[in-house]
């Protein structure tokens, strides 16, 4: 059964009474939020051990001698089929599969949607209506007052990725509502976004300048996630387009000044370099999720390797 992910992240009245959850989509920050909400829901209602396992082959469905229950976190759909879902042992353990969309995961997702034993959360970048829903929910809880013009200004300006949207709204709630106006909101919320995007268009600079820019702009986990999201978004444009015409048409309109630069980067890539870039994105994303304490150095290595592939 499919459930709107905002129902759980906004703490709406939803009963999580199944033992099997499938979290997917193309918006990793919302996927992580949904997964964390499911975990916290069960932990507050009982003693659970968290286990990260590769796939269902590593499941241990035995009963603990001490009565402990387990929440299994899985990031690989290997081995999952209709038989597995329909014949899952009835115990108090919980299985959460959290994977981004792919042809393979989409096939498996259909099995979960068809089953009454599982819940499916599809997580995508938020549209205006969803952003409005989140903003209204947060405003009602904090009692902050926004006039209509500021409210709709924010709907147009707020980030459509949940993690960053939540951060931006949190900043707003800490400001005296009497002081709020469009100029202040622009300064507080959006002053750094262009700086991170600008780094992508400095990729051909000397390494010394790239390192200095990275160290100045990327100082915490939130900025690193913003950095990697921006670079991944533009890298995927290069990877997914087969020809210059298709690539040119997909360049966002607001990048009209950077369009010649984007085209020059695209012309540097062939199939071999695209494969290297795909591998770099995959390995970096994997490292960022695994080695949180070392993530800033992972981000710096990524940008330097990206440059190396581009100019090779």
């Amino acid at each position: 059964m499919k459930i709107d992910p905002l129902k759980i992240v906004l703490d709406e009245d939803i009963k999580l009474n199944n033992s099997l959850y499938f979290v997917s989509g193309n918006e990793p920050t919302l996927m992580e939020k949904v997964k964390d909400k499911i975990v916290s829901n069960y932990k507050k209602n009982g003693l659970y051990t968290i286990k990260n396992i590769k796939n269902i082959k590593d499941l241990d469905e035995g009963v603990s001698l001490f009565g402990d229950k387990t929440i299994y976190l899985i990031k690989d759909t290997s081995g999952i089929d209709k038989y597995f879902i329909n014949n899952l042992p009835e115990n108090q353990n919980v299985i959460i599969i959290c994977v981004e969309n792919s042809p393979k995961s989409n096939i498996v997702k259909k099995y979960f949607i068809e089953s009454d034993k599982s819940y499916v959360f599809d997580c995508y970048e938020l549209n205006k209506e969803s952003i409005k829903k989140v903003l209204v929910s947060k405003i009602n809880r904090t009692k902050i007052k926004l006039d209509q013009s500021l409210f709709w200004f924010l709907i147009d300006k707020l980030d459509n990725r949940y993690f960053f949207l939540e951060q931006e709204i949190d900043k707003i709630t800490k400001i005296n509502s009497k002081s709020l106006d469009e100029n202040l909101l622009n300064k507080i919320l959006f002053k750094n976004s262009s700086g991170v995007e600008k780094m992508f268009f400095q990729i051909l600079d000397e390494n010394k300048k790239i390192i200095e820019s990275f160290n100045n702009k990327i100082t915490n986990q939130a900025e690193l996630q913003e950095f990697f999201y921006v670079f991944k978004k533009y890298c995927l444009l290069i990877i997914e387009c087969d020809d210059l015409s298709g690539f040119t048409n997909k360049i966002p309109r607001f990048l009209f000044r950077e369009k010649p630069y984007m085209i020059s980067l695209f012309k540097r890539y062939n199939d071999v370099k695209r494969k290297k870039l795909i591998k770099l994105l995959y390995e970096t994303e994997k490292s960022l999720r695994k080695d949180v304490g070392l993530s800033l150095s992972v981000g710096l290595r990524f940008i330097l390797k990206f440059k190396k592939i581009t100019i090779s």
Side-chain angles (χ1 to χ4, degrees):
M1 180 172 69
K2 291 182 72 172
I3 297 178
D4 181 353
L6 289 185
K7 286 185 177 295
I8 183 172
V9 300
L10 297 180
D11 296 317
E12 294 184 7
D13 186 20
I14 173 175
K15 293 182 180 180
L16 300 179
N17 51 13
N18 278 341
S19 60
L20 192 56
Y21 298 86
F22 192 88
V23 184
S24 67
N26 63 5
E27 210 287 76
T29 74
L30 182 54
M31 290 169 62
E32 285 296 310
K33 186 71 175 182
V34 170
K35 181 193 72 178
D36 291 345
K37 281 286 188 177
I38 298 171
V39 170
S40 64
N41 175 79
Y42 281 96
K43 291 192 75 174
K44 72 182 180 183
N45 293 320
L47 182 61
Y48 280 87
T49 300
I50 308 297
K51 283 189 179 181
N52 289 278
I53 61 176
K54 183 178 180 180
N55 53 48
I56 62 171
K57 294 178 182 178
D58 297 325
L59 282 174
D60 179 10
E61 288 297 336
V63 179
S64 168
L65 294 176
F66 303 100
D68 291 354
K69 295 160 283 189
T70 304
I71 299 174
Y72 293 99
L73 304 179
I74 305 175
K75 293 185 177 181
D76 186 350
T77 58
S78 298
I80 299 176
D81 54 19
K82 288 184 178 180
Y83 180 85
F84 166 79
I85 296 172
N86 294 330
N87 293 276
L88 195 67
E90 292 187 7
N91 53 35
Q92 291 184 304
N93 291 339
V94 177
I95 299 173
I96 305 173
I97 297 100
C98 190
V99 293
E100 291 191 33
N101 280 352
S102 69
K104 179 182 177 182
S105 68
N106 287 340
I107 292 173
V108 174
K109 185 195 300 186
K110 291 180 181 179
Y111 303 151
F112 285 87
I113 293 173
E114 293 168 357
S115 172
D116 57 3
K117 294 184 176 181
S118 63
Y119 289 142
V120 176
F121 297 89
D122 263 337
C123 302
Y124 298 98
E125 292 183 353
L126 304 177
N127 57 29
K128 297 297 182 185
E129 191 60 34
S130 296
I131 292 173
K132 176 184 173 183
K133 188 175 183 179
V134 176
L135 181 58
V136 168
S137 174
K138 299 288 186 180
I139 288 174
N140 289 340
R141 293 180 190 186
T142 58
K143 307 300 181 183
I144 190 171
K145 295 181 180 179
L146 293 174
D147 63 36
Q148 285 294 309
S149 63
L150 281 182
F151 178 83
W152 291 109
F153 170 80
L154 286 171
I155 297 299
D156 286 334
K157 293 287 188 177
L158 287 169
D159 205 298
N160 61 359
R161 295 157 295 167
Y162 189 82
F163 175 84
F164 302 104
L165 171 64
E166 195 172 47
Q167 279 203 328
E168 290 170 347
I169 295 176
D170 286 344
K171 289 179 184 178
I172 297 169
T173 61
K174 295 174 183 177
I175 305 170
N176 186 334
S177 58
K178 294 181 180 179
S179 306
L180 287 174
D181 57 33
E182 290 187 12
N183 289 332
L184 181 59
L185 288 174
N186 269 321
K187 288 178 182 178
I188 293 172
L189 298 180
F190 314 118
K191 63 181 181 180
N192 291 323
S193 60
S194 61
V196 173
E197 292 217 345
K198 191 174 181 181
M199 292 177 65
F200 185 85
F201 304 105
Q202 297 172 333
I203 196 63
L204 300 180
D205 287 354
E206 295 178 357
N207 283 358
K208 182 179 179 180
K209 289 184 178 180
I210 293 174
I211 294 171
E212 183 179 355
S213 179
F214 181 91
N215 289 335
N216 287 335
K217 292 183 172 69
I218 313 300
T219 60
N220 55 52
Q221 290 296 315
E223 291 169 350
L224 181 68
Q225 288 198 43
E226 172 77 7
F227 157 81
F228 187 69
Y229 176 87
V230 168
F231 270 71
K232 181 180 177 181
K233 177 175 64 175
Y234 293 143
C235 286
L236 289 176
L237 275 183
I238 296 173
I239 292 167
E240 294 172 354
C241 293
D242 297 325
D243 54 58
L244 182 58
S245 176
F247 176 78
T248 303
N249 290 333
K250 287 191 175 183
I251 297 175
R253 291 183 180 180
F254 66 87
L255 293 177
F256 62 93
R257 290 190 182 91
E258 293 82 6
K259 193 171 185 177
Y261 184 91
M262 294 282 288
I263 291 173
S264 70
L265 284 186
F266 180 81
K267 288 180 177 179
R268 289 174 175 266
Y269 275 79
N270 54 30
D271 288 343
V272 173
K273 292 168 75 169
R274 285 191 182 91
K275 289 179 181 178
K276 289 182 179 179
L277 185 54
I278 292 171
K279 184 179 179 182
L280 175 62
L281 288 170
Y282 171 77
E283 291 178 345
T284 302
E285 193 158 12
K286 184 178 178 181
S287 296
L288 288 175
R289 292 177 178 177
K290 181 179 180 182
D291 302 318
V292 176
L294 301 173
S295 55
L296 292 182
S297 61
V298 171
L300 181 56
R301 287 200 300 271
F302 164 77
I303 193 173
L304 293 175
K305 287 182 180 179
F306 172 50
K307 177 189 175 181
K308 185 176 180 180
I309 293 172
T310 302
I311 65 175
S312 63

